[in-house]
């Protein structure tokens, strides 16, 4: 497939999602999805659009990549089913990238980044990473499904920390208050007066699928691509359907 593979990457784990087409590290075309629409109605349209925008064809794709969660159950299933079908039909390998890892990558270099995404019912998916200047993401702990207060408690001891992702943006006021309570300076990343140290709220990222592609390229070059049937979602918590099946006569726990 050459040294600069054409990669089609998709993220359907987050609200709206995104699609990106890259050749090696170069972004040829990207699109952010409609947060008000279902991925089932927009994903194939958006995939078609990035190819028409870039003048590339899907048969040129050397690698398919997808965010594999945690995230929306329905969104993940739609995205993975689409990537698996394309990968199998064209006989190309694929790579699954943990969504929180892509969120950390999108936020840029940091000694410590907590990537957070909404998990529904007021809870969060959260995980700690470090990201070097070359964009290499190192996992520090395991992805967890937590109440907001549990997230603050889990990472309150880290005095220099970047908070990234939609979960961080939604809970920015609570993060600011938690920092104040612990005597930690809190800055928005766009604040020109911010100092070194303290907690930083990462600015919203442009296209998560682009980070999925960047990490997938590294995995592909290391020989870590898989067959479509081996692509698996990361859920972290059981779905509502699974909870209802386990406790059919009980009300869902408040989250």
């Amino acid at each position: 497939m050459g040294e600069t593979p054409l990669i089609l990457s998709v993220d359907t784990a987050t609200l709206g999602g995104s699609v990106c087409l890259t050749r090696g590290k170069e972004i040829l075309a990207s699109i952010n999805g409609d947060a008000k629409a279902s991925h089932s109605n927009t994903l194939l349209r958006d995939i078609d659009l990035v190819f028409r925008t870039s003048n590339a064809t899907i048969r040129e794709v050397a690698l398919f990549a997808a965010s594999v969660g945690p995230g929306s159950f329905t969104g993940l299933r739609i995205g993975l089913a689409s990537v698996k079908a394309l990968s199998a039909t064209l006989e190309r390998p694929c790579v699954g990238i943990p969504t929180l890892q892509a969120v950390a990558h999108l936020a840029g270099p940091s000694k410590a980044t907590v990537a957070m995404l909404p998990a529904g019912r007021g809870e969060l998916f959260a995980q700690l990473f470090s990201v070097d200047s070359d964009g290499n993401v190192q996992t520090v702990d395991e992805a967890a499904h937590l109440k907001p207060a549990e997230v603050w408690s889990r990472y309150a001891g880290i005095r220099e920390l970047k908070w990234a992702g939609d979960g961080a943006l939604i809970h920015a006021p609570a993060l600011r208050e938690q920092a104040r309570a612990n005597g930690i300076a809190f800055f928005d990343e766009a604040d020109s007066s911010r100092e070194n140290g303290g907690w930083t709220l990462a600015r919203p990222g442009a296209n998560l699928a682009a980070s999925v592609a960047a990490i997938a390229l590294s995995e592909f070059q290391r020989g870590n691509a898989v067959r479509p049937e081996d692509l698996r979602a990361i859920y972290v918590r059981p779905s509502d359907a699974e909870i209802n099946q386990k406790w059919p006569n009980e009300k869902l726990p408040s989250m």
Side-chain angles (χ1 to χ4, degrees):
M1 298 293 177
E3 296 182 357
T4 54
L6 188 69
I7 302 173
L8 176 67
S9 59
V10 305
D11 162 52
T12 56
T14 61
L15 193 63
S18 54
V19 176
C20 189
L21 189 67
T22 59
R23 190 178 298 281
K25 296 181 179 180
E26 179 188 4
I27 297 176
L28 303 181
S30 64
I31 184 170
N32 291 321
D34 183 354
K36 298 179 181 179
S38 168
H39 294 298
S40 62
N41 295 328
T42 61
L43 179 58
L44 293 181
R45 178 203 67 191
D46 291 345
I47 289 174
D48 179 64
L49 181 59
V50 295
F51 280 108
R52 287 192 284 112
T53 301
S54 65
N55 294 318
T57 69
I58 197 166
R59 292 194 175 278
E60 296 176 66
V61 172
L63 178 71
F64 292 96
S67 63
V68 294
S72 162
F73 287 96
T74 302
L76 283 170
R77 287 165 180 158
I78 292 168
L80 293 185
S82 299
V83 167
K84 285 183 176 184
L86 292 170
S87 177
T89 300
L90 295 172
E91 299 181 334
R92 303 289 193 271
C94 52
V95 172
I97 302 301
T99 311
L100 293 171
Q101 185 176 348
V103 169
H105 178 278
L106 187 60
S110 171
K111 293 180 180 178
T113 296
V114 175
M116 293 198 303
L117 290 173
R121 299 191 293 278
E123 300 199 337
L124 293 163
F125 296 120
Q127 190 171 9
L128 181 63
F129 301 91
S130 65
V131 185
D132 69 20
S133 58
D134 293 323
N136 298 309
V137 183
Q138 297 295 323
T139 300
V140 178
D141 63 8
E142 296 298 319
H145 172 230
L146 302 166
K147 294 179 180 179
E150 293 171 330
V151 178
W152 318 154
S153 176
R154 189 178 194 182
Y155 301 114
I158 305 176
R159 308 290 294 184
E160 184 174 349
L161 186 61
K162 181 182 288 189
W163 298 87
D166 290 345
L169 295 171
I170 291 169
H171 291 279
L175 286 170
R176 188 179 297 275
E177 176 59 27
Q178 185 68 25
R180 185 198 63 77
N182 285 278
I184 300 172
F186 186 89
F187 306 97
D188 289 330
E189 195 169 33
D191 186 353
S192 59
S193 65
R194 71 185 176 92
E195 304 169 359
N196 292 329
W199 285 2
T200 302
L201 179 67
R203 53 172 70 95
N207 186 276
L208 190 60
S211 283
V212 171
I215 301 171
L217 174 61
S218 295
E219 293 299 313
F220 180 66
Q221 292 172 335
R222 294 187 187 106
N224 293 333
V226 300
R227 299 173 299 180
E229 60 267 28
D230 295 324
L231 199 61
R232 297 283 186 271
I234 301 172
Y235 289 122
V236 179
R237 72 170 178 87
S239 68
D240 289 348
E242 290 168 328
I243 293 171
N244 285 331
Q245 186 177 24
K246 188 173 182 180
W247 295 292
N249 298 318
E250 296 184 22
K251 183 179 178 181
L252 281 175
S254 176
M255 297 190 182

